[in-house]
Amino acid sequence: MTPSGGPPPEPGWQRLGVSQEDWQHWPWQMRERVRDARALARFVEPTDDEVAAIERLADRFHFVITPYYASLMDPEDPDCPIRRQVVPRTAEQDDPVGVADPLDEVAHSPVKNVIRVYPDRIAFCVNNECALYCRYCLRKRMVGDEEWTMKKRELEVALDWIRETAEIRDVLLTGGDPLVFSDDRLGWLLAELRTIPHVEIIRLGTRLPVTLPFRVTDDLCRLLADHHPIWVNTHFNHPRELTPEAAHACDRLTRAGIPVGNQSVLLAGINDDAVTMKQLCEGLVKLRVRPYYCYQAQLLEGTAHFRVPIERGVDVFRELRGRTSGFAIPQYVLDTPYGKVPLSHPYLRGREGDDIVVEAFDGRLWREHNPL
Ligand SMILES: *Cc1c(COP(=O)(O)O)cnc(C)c1O
Ligand code: SF4
């Protein structure tokens, strides 16, 4: 085992005998993705359970991993936090309560691929492809599924809906992953959105800075900067994902004037303890990436082994409060069909006559004189 756990010290391209140029070329990474147990064995020795799960679950939910992300796995540790996010386990078949669409997104869709929960902003699922598929993905029902592939015509129908719906000031491009699009296609989509005067900001939700950081090219950053104001939210879940390559991708985005935030998912055994979460969040702010949300894992089919009791999540973030920079602490939220609900420790303890009682980070109570 490597001293602190984690991948072997040589870079992935060296270990695999690939040229560094190929390795850093994002279409090469997409083409050479791990798709079966044999390909996975080039990085880690799959367990019997993983081999069985890959065979049984492959057609239910895509199994694909970029070589870059696979190279971050610890070959000595089957419970490696990178590996658990992307390699299936038979435990996925053991989830009596999970459902396909826990947020009832289908019912909140005024036009295909648009999800509207709030009056002024929407999630616009522009494609169904990701560089890899996370086992806890909320959009499991659509990612990697051909039926959801968006044709240009469908995108135009959704764009027309946005054009006709004057309240929409904030459009969140998601999927799948909008950065899987070619620069041309993304450029077309952004230019179309920019012809709509009431669309003030465009956000991209993308995991590619984490799973395929080479996608964040100078050309892409120029393209995004041409359509400002653009905000990006990415999705790091574990400090081991904060590699020099990922840091470089985030740096390019921020240098293009794009505020970069992070949305993670609280995952049992991966990041559901205060030490790991603090490392993740402090690592993010060092990259100038602002921790934004941490989601409670949804009641999604096949993900029981990732879910944690909400009280545990509240405790994790309570432990961070006062013990790291305030802006390093994301808001822990539960996403519901009615929108995102903040889950936080009740620091406001209540009123006693003319006083409000609050609890400080270290548990001390403070009375603030505050007559009604
Ligand atoms: C998360 C989400 C948004 C954006 O919510 P913010 O709290 O503004 O980040 C918008 N629409 C949908 C459907 C969402 O799920
Ligand atoms: S990158 Fe995002 S959308 Fe794609 S599989 Fe992972 S969680 Fe789902």
Side-chain angles (χ1 to χ4, degrees):
M1 211 192 304
T2 44
S4 57
E10 322 84 65
W13 56 274
Q14 240 171 40
R15 260 190 292 147
L16 287 157
V18 177
S19 79
Q20 188 172 13
E21 200 188 342
D22 276 348
W23 185 259
Q24 295 178 346
H25 185 53
W26 75 273
W28 182 92
Q29 287 276 338
M30 289 294 279
R31 214 166 43 236
E32 297 295 322
R33 286 181 291 180
V34 170
R35 292 185 169 81
D36 53 35
R38 206 165 51 87
L40 181 63
R42 298 178 70 194
F43 298 90
V44 295
E45 192 52 51
T47 63
D48 292 345
D49 183 79
E50 287 169 335
V51 172
I54 290 168
E55 278 166 15
R56 265 183 253 164
L57 299 165
D59 28 308
R60 260 215 274 161
F61 182 56
H62 254 27
F63 168 63
V64 187
I65 314 173
T66 55
Y68 162 78
Y69 197 75
S71 77
L72 305 184
M73 295 182 195
D74 179 350
E76 307 295 332
D77 179 12
D79 287 326
C80 161
I82 304 291
R83 181 163 169 175
R84 283 199 52 216
Q85 290 185 56
V86 289
V87 178
R89 292 187 167 196
T90 56
E92 290 181 25
Q93 292 170 296
D94 181 20
D95 183 359
V97 292
V99 297
D101 182 12
L103 296 183
D104 208 12
E105 288 187 331
V106 172
H108 288 87
S109 186
V111 61
K112 194 172 173 190
N113 303 300
V114 168
I115 305 161
R116 186 187 198 185
V117 175
Y118 303 109
D120 68 328
R121 56 206 195 279
I122 53 165
F124 181 7
C125 301
V126 296
N127 68 2
N128 61 353
E129 269 193 83
C130 295
L132 51 71
Y133 296 96
C134 312
R135 305 312 300 176
Y136 45 82
C137 177
L138 171 65
R139 303 249 156 74
K140 247 185 178 178
R141 70 178 191 286
M142 51 168 103
V143 289
D145 180 345
E146 282 305 314
E147 257 178 65
W148 278 92
T149 302
M150 289 214 46
K151 316 263 170 351
K152 193 169 175 197
R153 182 68 213 123
E154 274 182 20
L155 289 172
E156 281 166 344
V157 172
L159 285 164
D160 285 343
W161 181 88
I162 297 169
R163 201 169 274 119
E164 287 156 17
T165 312
E167 306 93 86
I168 303 301
R169 44 163 284 283
D170 173 356
V171 173
L172 161 59
L173 304 181
T174 175
D177 199 308
L179 291 189
V180 171
F181 274 175
S182 65
D183 287 0
D184 281 352
R185 199 159 177 184
L186 189 64
W188 170 80
L189 183 63
L190 293 173
E192 285 292 312
L193 284 167
R194 280 291 169 237
T195 65
I196 306 175
H198 55 265
V199 173
E200 295 170 4
I201 61 169
I202 301 173
R203 305 195 233 182
L204 280 80
T206 174
R207 206 169 186 217
L208 266 59
V210 185
T211 59
L212 182 53
F214 314 116
R215 173 66 185 100
V216 184
T217 60
D218 288 331
D219 283 346
L220 174 72
C221 292
R222 265 191 296 273
L223 173 70
L224 295 174
D226 280 345
H227 296 87
H228 268 316
I230 299 258
W231 292 59
V232 165
N233 264 325
T234 187
H235 177 176
F236 289 90
N237 283 329
H238 192 275
R240 220 180 270 168
E241 294 168 338
L242 301 167
T243 63
E245 292 88 343
H248 191 54
C250 294
D251 187 55
R252 281 183 165 171
L253 291 169
T254 49
R255 278 172 197 270
I258 301 166
V260 181
N262 189 67
Q263 311 194 146
S264 51
V265 181
L266 196 68
L267 298 167
I270 292 177
N271 59 12
D272 66 332
D273 64 280
V275 172
T276 307
M277 189 53 76
K278 188 164 178 283
Q279 271 178 11
L280 171 65
C281 294
E282 290 178 351
L284 286 166
V285 297
K286 270 163 62 181
L287 307 185
R288 285 173 287 144
V289 174
R290 166 77 153 99
Y292 178 47
Y293 283 145
C294 180
Y295 291 97
Q296 167 66 15
Q298 297 290 327
L299 206 60
L300 187 81
E301 60 189 351
T303 62
H305 57 303
F306 287 122
R307 293 197 287 269
V308 299
I310 287 176
E311 289 84 347
R312 179 170 175 80
V314 169
D315 283 346
V316 166
F317 293 100
R318 182 186 180 186
E319 274 186 60
L320 296 194
R321 178 63 52 196
R323 295 177 181 92
T324 189
S325 319
F327 58 75
I329 307 174
Q331 177 98 64
Y332 177 41
V333 292
L334 175 68
D335 211 352
T336 75
Y338 308 148
K340 293 173 182 70
V341 179
L343 302 170
S344 61
H345 177 74
Y347 294 100
L348 178 57
R349 296 280 291 260
R351 174 170 289 280
E352 286 178 14
D354 280 347
D355 291 348
I356 282 287
V357 182
V358 294
E359 183 189 319
F361 76 93
D362 57 2
R364 283 183 293 174
L365 297 182
W366 171 256
R367 259 168 206 284
E368 178 81 8
H369 188 61
N370 179 251
L372 283 169

